[in-house]
């Protein structure tokens, strides 16, 4: 594997004496964040937000139609879910908990911080390039999952739809920050479908498992009476499209993705897992 150059290449470390791990970590994180917010490269420029929305207008129309149809037809039946056997609800609660963003964001953040401390001046160039390329992909997953979740958390409180209760499915209290009025869209489902798109974009082999994960999390939110079906559909669309937008941002800067002349974004080849593990082992030994 050849060394990675350009935006994915790690910054050169200062000369001896070697800085301590806090300084190494903050220095590398600062450089990586600066690369993320650089101006897009013209040759890799993606269509842009408006063009992206237009390109997905039919998918957006279908998603909106499904949300409205579920509100009219399926949401009124949500109360029937409470009659499910207790063991089914118990299993759904365990599955639902897997939709918490912390289960994805915390391990990814810890791994990024750890790698930032491992990049010492004496580390060979190939290992540094492999770890830098790996960090770019971890950073994409972190932003693509965390950003839609954050925006969705604010949005659902602006909308203020009541969670399944005796108040029915048409009760709203806009601009409410109370948890019981934070049903639309489903935050857990946003996380699950954002993870499906984000992780699946950089590690395609994981997509079958991610599909099962995302669908189970979405269904479980209805089974535990935390959301209406329309909330789950809206959350799935919001999370998936949010991750796509983040992918466009990375592609426009040549980070983990590239946009071809036809405007189609494709993943750049990343370092295989065995090579990443060898680079990590080398960095730890140093």
């Amino acid at each position: 594997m050849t060394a990675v150059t350009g935006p994915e290449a790690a910054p050169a470390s200062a000369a001896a004496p070697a800085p301590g791990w806090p300084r190494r970590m903050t220095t590398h994180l600062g450089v990586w964040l600066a690369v993320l917010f650089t101006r897009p490269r013209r040759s890799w420029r993606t269509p842009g937000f408006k063009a992206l929305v237009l390109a997905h207008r039919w998918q957006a129309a279908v998603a909106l139609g499904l949300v409205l149809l579920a509100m009219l037809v399926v949401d009124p039946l949500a109360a029937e879910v409470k009659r499910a056997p207790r063991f089914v609800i118990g299993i759904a609660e365990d599955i639902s908990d897997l939709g918490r963003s912390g289960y994805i964001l915390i391990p990814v953040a810890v791994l990024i911080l750890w790698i930032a401390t491992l990049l010492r001046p004496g580390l060979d160039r190939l290992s540094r390039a492999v770890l830098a390329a790996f960090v770019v992909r971890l950073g994409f997953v972190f932003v693509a999952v965390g950003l839609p979740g954050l925006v969705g958390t604010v949005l659902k409180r602006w909308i203020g739809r009541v969670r399944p209760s005796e108040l029915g499915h048409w009760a709203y209290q806009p601009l409410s920050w109370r948890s019981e009025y934070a049903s639309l869209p489903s935050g857990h489902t946003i996380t699950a479908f954002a993870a499906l798109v984000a992780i699946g974009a950089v590690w395609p082999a994981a997509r079958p498992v991610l599909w099962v994960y995302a669908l189970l999390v979405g269904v479980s939110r209805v089974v535990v009476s935390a959301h209406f079906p329309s909330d789950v559909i809206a959350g799935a669309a919001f999370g998936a499209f949010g991750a796509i937008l983040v992918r466009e941002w990375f592609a426009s800067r040549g980070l983990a993705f590239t946009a071809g002349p036809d405007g189609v974004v494709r993943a750049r080849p990343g370092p295989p897992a065995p090579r990443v593990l060898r680079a990590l082992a080398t960095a730890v030994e140093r």
Side-chain angles (χ1 to χ4, degrees):
M1 176 178 175
T2 57
V4 179
T5 58
E8 296 192 8
S13 300
W21 70 263
R23 184 177 176 183
R24 290 199 305 271
M25 182 179 68
T26 54
T27 298
H28 290 126
L29 289 178
V31 172
W32 291 337
L33 287 173
V35 170
L36 183 58
F37 289 98
T38 55
R39 293 179 62 86
R41 294 188 174 191
R42 183 171 298 277
S43 59
W44 282 338
R45 184 162 295 171
T46 54
F49 178 78
K50 291 183 178 180
L52 188 63
V53 172
L54 289 175
H56 291 82
R57 60 185 180 277
W58 295 115
Q59 293 93 323
V62 170
L64 180 59
L66 289 175
V67 170
L68 294 176
L69 182 63
M71 284 183 173
L72 294 172
V73 179
V74 186
D75 286 359
L77 306 177
E80 300 296 324
V81 176
K82 295 182 179 180
R83 301 181 182 180
R86 179 58 207 170
F87 79 91
V88 173
I89 295 178
I91 295 174
E93 287 175 347
D94 293 335
I95 296 174
S96 176
D97 194 57
L98 297 176
R100 296 182 182 274
S101 59
Y103 285 118
I104 297 175
L105 299 182
I106 293 176
V108 170
V110 169
L111 191 52
I112 290 174
L113 294 176
W114 182 50
I115 294 175
T117 65
L118 292 178
L119 295 178
R120 298 178 176 87
L123 188 62
D124 64 278
R125 184 177 180 181
L126 178 58
S127 295
R128 292 173 63 86
V130 169
L131 292 180
F134 184 52
V135 164
V136 166
R137 285 151 181 81
L138 291 175
F140 165 71
V141 171
F142 185 89
V143 178
V145 174
L147 187 58
L150 178 62
V151 176
T153 297
V154 176
L155 179 63
K156 62 166 38 182
R157 284 162 171 79
W158 283 356
I159 296 174
R161 188 187 193 188
V162 69
R163 296 185 186 273
S165 68
E166 66 280 358
L167 296 177
H169 61 289
W170 292 115
Y172 289 82
Q173 193 174 100
L175 302 180
S176 172
W177 289 90
R178 296 164 56 188
S179 176
E180 57 267 33
Y181 284 92
S183 190
L184 178 66
S186 166
H188 286 61
T189 310
I190 290 176
T191 295
F193 276 82
L196 164 63
V197 173
I199 300 176
V202 291
W203 293 291
R207 283 175 182 163
V209 175
L210 291 168
W211 266 110
V212 174
Y213 158 74
L215 291 173
L216 286 178
V217 168
V219 171
S220 71
R221 297 303 286 166
V222 177
V223 175
V224 300
S225 298
H227 291 282
F228 294 101
S230 60
D231 303 332
V232 170
I233 297 173
F238 192 91
F241 188 66
I244 290 173
L245 285 178
V246 175
R247 186 193 65 178
E248 301 295 315
W249 181 279
F250 273 66
S252 68
R253 288 153 180 82
L255 299 172
F257 301 94
T258 184
D262 55 356
V264 176
V265 173
R266 299 176 177 85
R268 299 177 65 185
R275 190 65 191 87
V276 173
L277 292 176
R278 288 197 297 271
L280 285 172
T282 301
V284 170
E285 291 173 358
R286 296 284 182 174

